[in-house]
Structure formats: structure tokens, C-alpha cells
């Protein structure tokens, strides 16, 4: 009898409820027991798991490693998908292996390379993969120099933290003085240069920002699955242009992604993002974790989470090639259950829990809505999410 596979997701994005769904609906019909921990008792991740617990607060990265090792040993975790403290956890891969747990994450060197966007851009440019022009900025004077240089070349300047995930801290520089225009409607990413300069001059310590031109759409996120042997099993692009989403296997996106994954050992599930600088695709970011929108590949007949878990278990899923490219789509919000009781709690019967009502209490996640009716083969789809940079973990 084939044993149940135990998978743990630590403090991760709300959209990964769909990651869990795909593991349960794996094409092998294998029983999967999902463990989840989080710092927010109302995270839908906890409600979607078979065993859930709140994480202790205030742990240093080193202390979190000890906590994680204990969790894996006590619950006989087969595969651990780390998001919080990923960079530190992967440095202890052998210790996790000693307790029987495989880490579904790239090697430490790859994670550290792409944690810092400056180091990442310097590294990929050596491969001949184009990156946008960029400046590392720590002071007001450095910011002014960078903005002046970008605007002189006809670009609109923006900045974001040199190390960070998603769109946190992203702002677009404007020369327009602050006025009621900035207070009308929804909050805007635009910030007046003079206000940013003043804030930097008054700051107690320097910032660490990457200043670069604002890149244009389309944005293409290439989801890659790479084995520990360095061979890419899957590379499929998801396109974003305004509200419209779609899929692509165009070599201009896929080939540089394969080169990156192979050259830097981006093992297991990673996400490589491109945007346009004029007429040229340039690298925007590399995420050394599964993308929040990974489940959207189900519209192409792919179950990427399960293929990755099989690789982590030492099995060979083979090349994961979409049998078709799904219909273009958009995303809409929908409800997802949260726990009605305090934690920790474990489900005694997985089958009973699976039949529980979805509408206990709801929090917003997202679902796909087709732009036009899809072919019958593309109808067995998962819900989608609004971006690969979820706002809430």
C-alpha cells in the first residue's frame, strides 16, 4: 500500500489554497495530508489544511530553523515548501533530510543570489540576458542622480527595495507637486520627487533601493520546474496585459527562463518575470518560490504542484508539457472559508472535512472568469488570483 504524502506549507500566501487543492486532486490518486502554519489565525491557508497551527511569533531565523526541524520530525513531514525564512531554511537542507524531509526550494546559493536584485541583475547580465538599467540608491543625492539620468533618456523613474518580495515598497517618481489630485480616487503609486528627497534627508539611516525605468506591459511570468539534476521539466509563460491573462510558449520568454533555471540551479518551482523596455523584453524579477498564480496552469492541463512534490520525493514526473494552451481569462474575487474555531486544531477525518461547507466565514481570494467560452478541455480549471505578488501572507 502506498503511504500518504505529508506536505507542510509554512507562513505562505493566501493564494496557495489552490496549491493545496491541486495536491489533493493529483493525477496519481495519491493520498496527501497537508499541514499549514501561519501567524494569522484567519488565513484561509489554515482552514484549507488538514492539520493547522499558529506559528510562534518573534523567532529569529535561526530559532525558526529549530522550530521547523521539530515540526518536520514530530509530524513526519515528507515535503516542506518554505516561504517564510526560505533563505535560512535551505542552508539546513541536510538536517531536514536527516529527519526524512525534503525541501521544495532551490539551493542556498541560488536563493541568496536572487534575494538581492542588484546581485541578481549583475549575475544574469553575465549570461547575456538583458536587464533594465538600474541604480542602487541609499541617499537623496544618489536618488536625484538616478532619476535625472533616467528622465534624460525619456524614461519614467521608479524605485523598490533592493531586497524584497512582490510589489512591496514599489513607487513611481513624478515631478508633479503634491496636491488634491493625489488625494482623489484610490491611492496611487505615484510620489512627488521633492517629498521623497525630503523624507530621505530626514531619515535616521540610509535606504537600500533599486531605481530603474518603469517597465511596460505585457508582463510575462514563466513558471519553471527544474529537477535537482539541473534539467528543466517545465517552462510555461503566463501573460498579463491589463485585465487580460493568457499563456505562451514563445521562445523569447521561455529560452532565457530555461537558461536562468539551468545556470543558477533554480531547482523545483520558481517564477521568472519579464516586462518590456521599449520593444525589448527585459528581466524584471526571479522568485525562488512557487508563484501565487501557479495554479492557473491547470487551464493548460498541468498540475505543477504535484509534479514538483514527486520530484522532491525522488520520483520522476517526466517533462511537463501543456497538452493545450488555455483560453485567455481574467480574474475576479470570491469567498474562501476561514477557521471558525481557535487553533491549533487537526482534522480527524480527511473525508469528513472535505465535505464541510465552504461558506462558514469568508475572506477574499480569487477565481478565474473566462473572457470568452473555453473549449471543453479547458473547463476543468482552478481558481486564479490577481497577481504573482500577493499582498497578504
Amino acid at each position: 500500500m502506498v503511504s500518504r504524502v505529508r506536505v507542510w506549507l509554512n507562513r505562505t500566501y493566501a493564494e496557495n489554497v489552490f496549491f493545496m487543492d491541486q495536491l489533493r486532486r493529483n493525477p496519481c490518486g495519491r493520498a496527501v495530508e497537508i499541514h499549514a502554519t501561519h501567524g494569522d489565525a484567519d488565513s484561509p491557508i489554515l482552514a484549507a489544511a488538514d492539520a493547522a497551527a499558529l506559528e510562534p511569533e518573534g523567532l529569529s531565523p535561526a530559532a525558526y530553523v529549530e522550530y521547523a526541524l521539530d515540526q518536520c520530525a514530530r509530524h513526519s513531514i515528507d515535503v516542506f515548501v518554505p516561504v517564510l525564512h526560505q533563505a535560512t531554511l535551505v542552508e539546513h537542507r541536510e538536517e531536514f533530510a536527516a529527519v526524512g524531509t525534503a525541501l521544495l526550494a532551490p539551493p542556498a546559493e541560488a536563493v541568496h543570489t536572487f534575494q538581492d536584485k542588484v546581485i541578481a541583475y549583475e549575475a544574469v547580465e553575465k549570461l547575456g540576458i538583458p536587464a533594465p538599467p538600474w541604480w542602487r540608491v541609499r541617499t537623496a543625492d544618489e536618488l536625484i542622480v538616478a532619476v535625472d539620468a533616467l528622465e534624460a533618456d525619456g524614461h519614467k523613474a521608479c524605485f523598490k527595495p533592493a531586497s524584497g518580495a512582490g510589489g512591496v515598497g514599489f513607487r513611481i517618481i513624478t515631478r508633479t507637486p503634491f496636491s488634491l489630485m493625489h488625494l482623489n480616487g484610490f491611492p496611487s503609486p505615484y510620489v512627488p520627487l521633492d517629498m521623497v528627497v525630503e523624507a530621505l534627508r530626514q531619515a535616521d539611516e540610509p535606504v537600500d533601493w533599486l531605481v530603474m525605468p518603469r517597465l511596460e506591459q505585457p508582463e510575462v511570468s514563466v513558471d519553471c520546474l527544474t529537477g535537482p539534476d539541473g534539467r528543466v521539466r517545465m517552462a510555461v509563460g503566463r501573460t498579463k496585459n491589463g485585465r487580460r491573462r493568457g499563456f505562451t510558449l514563445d521562445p523569447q520568454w521561455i529560452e532565457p527562463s530555461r537558461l536562468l533555471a539551468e545556470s543558477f540551479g533554480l531547482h523545483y518551482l520558481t517564477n521568472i518575470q519579464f516586462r518590456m523596455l521599449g520593444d525589448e523584453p527585459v528581466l524584471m524579477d526571479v522568485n525562488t518560490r512557487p508563484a501565487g498564480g501557479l495554479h492557473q496552469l491547470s487551464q493548460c492541463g498541468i498540475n505543477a504542484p504535484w509534479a514538483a512534490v514527486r520530484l522532491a520525493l525522488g520520483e520522476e514526473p517526466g517533462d511537463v508539457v501543456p497538452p493545450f494552451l488555455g483560453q485567455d481569462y481574467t480574474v475576479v474575487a470570491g469567498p474562501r472559508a476561514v477557521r471558525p474555531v481557535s487553533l491549533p486544531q487537526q482534522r480527524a477525518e480527511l473525508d469528513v472535512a472535505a465535505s464541510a461547507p465552504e461558506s462558514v466565514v469568508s475572506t477574499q481570494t480569487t477565481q478565474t472568469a473566462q473572457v470568452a467560452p473555453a473549449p471543453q478541455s479547458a473547463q476543468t480549471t482552478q481558481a486564479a488570483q490577481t497577481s504573482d505578488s500577493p499582498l497578504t501572507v
Side-chain angles (χ1 to χ4, degrees):
M1 180 178 177
V2 179
S3 62
R4 184 185 308 275
V5 179
R6 292 181 174 86
V7 180
W8 174 30
L9 287 80
N10 72 342
R11 194 175 309 197
T12 189
Y13 305 104
E15 286 79 0
N16 273 338
V17 292
F18 305 125
F19 189 102
M20 296 176 172
D21 292 343
Q22 286 193 286
L23 290 181
R24 291 192 178 101
R25 293 199 286 266
N26 68 81
C28 297
R30 187 93 173 262
V32 177
E33 181 179 298
I34 299 175
H35 293 243
T37 56
H38 207 284
D40 179 2
D42 288 333
S43 169
I45 289 292
L46 298 177
D50 301 307
L54 285 172
E55 293 187 354
E57 294 294 339
L59 294 182
S60 67
Y64 193 93
V65 170
E66 295 304 315
Y67 160 76
L69 283 166
D70 178 68
Q71 288 286 307
C72 290
R74 285 196 298 114
H75 298 292
S76 301
I77 299 298
D78 298 300
V79 179
F80 176 21
V81 187
V83 173
L84 181 68
H85 295 313
Q86 184 195 64
T88 304
L89 289 165
V90 294
E91 293 175 348
H92 298 266
R93 189 180 301 271
E94 292 183 1
E95 294 170 53
F96 282 96
V99 299
T101 301
L103 294 187
L104 202 153
E109 183 178 358
V111 174
H112 288 299
T113 295
F114 292 102
Q115 255 195 328
D116 187 306
K117 293 177 176 60
V118 170
I119 295 174
Y121 282 160
E122 289 175 340
V124 301
E125 285 173 340
K126 292 177 182 177
L127 284 180
I129 295 175
W134 52 269
W135 284 257
R136 191 166 205 160
V137 162
R138 292 183 170 86
T139 67
D141 290 339
E142 289 176 349
L143 174 67
I144 293 170
V145 169
V147 172
D148 285 346
L150 284 167
E151 291 181 345
D153 288 336
H155 300 299
K156 189 176 291 292
C158 63
F159 64 86
K160 57 186 176 181
S163 298
V168 177
F170 172 79
R171 298 292 187 273
I172 302 170
I173 293 288
T174 177
R175 299 273 184 172
T176 305
F178 186 79
S179 68
L180 283 176
M181 179 189 71
H182 293 90
L183 302 178
N184 290 330
F186 292 103
S188 166
Y190 286 87
V191 290
L193 176 60
D194 58 349
M195 294 184 68
V196 180
V197 168
E198 182 62 22
L200 287 176
R201 296 200 192 284
Q202 293 183 9
D204 294 330
E205 55 188 33
V207 296
D208 189 9
W209 288 347
L210 197 69
V211 177
M212 55 194 292
R214 187 186 68 176
L215 302 175
E216 302 300 330
Q217 294 184 328
E219 179 179 321
V220 178
S221 294
V222 180
D223 295 307
C224 293
L225 174 62
T226 307
D229 58 1
R231 187 171 70 82
V232 176
R233 272 47 166 204
M234 180 192 78
V236 182
R238 291 181 287 111
T239 64
K240 304 177 185 180
N241 200 340
R243 183 176 295 223
R244 181 172 290 268
R245 305 287 191 266
F247 304 98
T248 182
L249 295 176
D250 191 317
Q252 71 174 327
W253 317 106
I254 302 302
E255 292 310 315
S257 299
R258 284 181 170 273
L259 178 60
L260 280 168
E262 293 169 353
S263 300
F264 291 99
L266 294 174
H267 300 166
Y268 302 110
L269 289 168
T270 54
N271 177 258
I272 301 170
Q273 299 177 350
F274 300 87
R275 274 200 175 222
M276 302 299 293
L277 182 64
D279 296 327
E280 181 184 32
V282 294
L283 181 72
M284 183 171 67
D285 209 352
V286 175
N287 295 310
T288 58
R289 55 168 175 77
L294 178 69
H295 60 278
Q296 294 171 17
L297 294 184
S298 63
Q299 294 188 97
C300 300
I302 290 177
N303 188 327
W306 179 245
V309 166
R310 288 192 66 194
L311 266 179
L313 292 172
E315 302 173 9
E316 179 52 67
D319 290 337
V320 182
V321 179
F324 54 88
L325 291 183
Q327 173 84 25
D328 280 5
Y329 61 99
T330 188
V331 293
V332 294
R336 190 81 187 197
V338 297
R339 287 254 185 198
V341 295
S342 59
L343 293 172
Q345 175 177 328
Q346 294 193 4
R347 298 179 181 177
E349 286 292 336
L350 305 185
D351 292 339
V352 172
S355 64
E358 275 275 303
S359 57
V360 181
V361 185
S362 68
T363 185
Q364 282 202 340
T365 54
T366 54
Q367 299 174 327
T368 53
Q370 296 294 336
V371 172
Q376 183 63 32
S377 59
Q379 291 293 336
T380 56
T381 63
Q382 295 274 80
Q385 53 107 52
T386 52
S387 78
D388 286 334
S389 305
L391 299 178
T392 306
V393 295

